[in-house]
Amino acid sequence: MARMSGPMSLGAVRGDMKRSWSHSLDHSLEGESQDAPPLRSYLLLTIFTCFCPAYPVNIVALVFSVMSRNSYFEGDYEGSHRLGQKALQVAIASIIIGLLIIVIFCSVHFTTKDL
């Protein structure tokens, strides 16, 4: 057998690698797209809650939402669903806490008498 050297042998190896990589990628993408549930990370809601005056809770909701997105794109759909639900719960708590802070601030501000 004669051993090939130079650009011809590299081209043959690279061509084989391209075909094997594209073939393996096609199968992996088809399986994931069929079984993947919809992404529910509630990112827009958690970004909206960052405007409420309950800052530490807002940040926690945003972190859960981003973690949910990362888990989804890594293929951990169960973990993504669980983290998305936590993000939703913390975002709702943040909205409620923010509204309570606003109501308390307004009631104190408008009910105090000037001395």
Side-chain angles (χ1 to χ4, degrees), residues 36-57:
L39 173 63
R40 301 251 165 95
S41 66
Y42 303 102
L43 184 63
L44 291 177
L45 177 66
T46 57
I47 290 173
F48 172 74
T49 60
C50 288
F51 295 106
C52 291
Y55 292 114
V57 182

Side-chain angles (χ1 to χ4, degrees), residues 21 25 33 38 42 51 57 64 73-74 80 84 91 104 109:
W21 287 346
L25 289 176
S33 64
Y42 303 102
F51 295 106
V57 182
F64 276 133
F73 292 126
E74 289 176 358
S80 173
I104 291 169
H109 179 71

Side-chain angles (χ1 to χ4, degrees), residues 56-67:
V57 182
N58 301 345
I59 307 263
V60 172
L62 186 62
V63 167
F64 276 133
S65 179
V66 171
M67 287 172 51

Side-chain angles (χ1 to χ4, degrees), residues 75-87:
D76 182 16
Y77 302 123
E78 181 64 32
S80 173
H81 177 72
R82 183 177 41 83
L83 288 168
Q85 290 298 316
K86 289 291 181 190

Side-chain angles (χ1 to χ4, degrees), residues 3-72:
R3 183 175 168 184
M4 288 207 248
S5 63
M8 299 247 335
S9 64
L10 291 176
V13 170
R14 288 183 184 155
D16 291 340
M17 287 180 9
K18 285 182 183 177
R19 277 180 282 194
S20 65
W21 287 346
S22 65
H23 183 67
S24 65
L25 289 176
D26 290 340
H27 288 296
S28 65
L29 291 176
E30 287 175 7
E32 288 179 12
S33 64
Q34 294 173 356
D35 299 332
L39 173 63
R40 301 251 165 95
S41 66
Y42 303 102
L43 184 63
L44 291 177
L45 177 66
T46 57
I47 290 173
F48 172 74
T49 60
C50 288
F51 295 106
C52 291
Y55 292 114
V57 182
N58 301 345
I59 307 263
V60 172
L62 186 62
V63 167
F64 276 133
S65 179
V66 171
M67 287 172 51
S68 171
R69 292 179 62 84
N70 289 340
S71 293
Y72 182 84

